[in-house]
Amino acid sequence: NYAPYEQYTQKPCQGPWTDIYALAATFYFIVSGRKMLDALSRAKGASYPPLHELCPAVSRQLSDVIDKALAFDYHDRYRRMLDFLDALEQVVRPEDYDIDLGALMPKSKASKQAEIHVETSDDSEKMCQVEEQNMPEPKRLAAFFHPKKRRLAYLELTMRKSGGHISRRRWIIEPNRTVKVGRLATSDVMMPADNQISRNHCEVFYNEPKREFIVRDLSKYGTYLADGKPMEKEKSYTLKDGDIFCVVSPEYTFKVVIET
């Protein structure tokens, strides 16, 4: 109940935002007495009641800050603990609780930072702040992130719901490994609980040397190319950076992306 979704499927994308989620979930439980909804249930479309609905004493502003810290997509959360504390300072009067938030984590604290730029489909840019640690990095992850050796590959899902609501999720695709897409909790890319989405709907393989993606449909209701043509079941299709394909319908559109 305290683990965000990237701890299930996006381990290379863990960072301060992961701990911010866990901290906010702990706060949610302490204040409301109700555990945060687990991430796998949220991935299937379930939602939790905002804190201000459970506890009238909690202001809407404070509830909104906690909601942002608990955002399902890690791109939508606070990037650094300082950002989280800054937001809390805007909606909570520390003197009411005899707490000096600034003393807990001074803003003047120097920290070296690296920037990860993530392009979104609406051409806006989001920036993830990642604090560099002084401890040695595991060899596997060091090779995975080294800009001279690897470019990260992503699978980006855009979901269009009735009423015009659009939401997006991203998963990292490790090179030369088959990623399974479906509605099973054990899927590498877990889809919403839509009965037309098969348990193992399709699979994606990222061929790093050729910089291309191989997609195979395994489903009952189909996987579709960008032009709307259905893929032949179990036939391999090659996609390049920026290409799209759909699961069941354009309601679930995937885009394959290679970091520039």
Side-chain angles (χ1 to χ4, degrees), residues 5-24:
Y5 194 59
E6 67 265 21
Q7 288 193 297
Y8 292 91
T9 61
Q10 298 175 314
K11 290 185 179 179
C13 282
Q14 292 184 39
W17 46 88
T18 306
D19 293 326
I20 287 171
Y21 182 101
L23 182 59

Side-chain angles (χ1 to χ4, degrees), residues 198-209:
S198 300
R199 291 171 177 162
N200 291 307
H201 198 96
C202 63
E203 59 184 25
V204 181
F205 178 85
Y206 173 43
N207 187 327
E208 184 184 35

Side-chain angles (χ1 to χ4, degrees), residues 135-146 149-150:
M135 57 194 300
E137 191 175 23
K139 291 183 179 179
R140 179 176 177 275
L141 287 181
F144 191 74
F145 280 107
H146 198 292
K149 294 182 179 181
R150 293 259 170 96

Side-chain angles (χ1 to χ4, degrees), residues 137-166:
E137 191 175 23
K139 291 183 179 179
R140 179 176 177 275
L141 287 181
F144 191 74
F145 280 107
H146 198 292
K148 293 184 179 180
K149 294 182 179 181
R150 293 259 170 96
R151 286 190 177 94
L152 296 182
Y154 297 93
L155 194 57
E156 180 178 273
L157 170 63
T158 299
M159 294 185 290
R160 295 174 174 84
K161 299 295 184 180
S162 58
H165 178 70
I166 296 177

Side-chain angles (χ1 to χ4, degrees), residues 27 30-32 50-64 66 91-93 96-97:
F27 181 88
I30 290 173
V31 174
S32 70
L51 200 53
H52 73 275
E53 293 183 4
L54 298 177
C55 307
V58 174
S59 69
R60 179 63 180 266
Q61 293 79 9
L62 175 56
S63 183
D64 289 345
I66 298 302
V91 298
V92 175
R93 294 191 302 172
D96 291 344
Y97 304 94

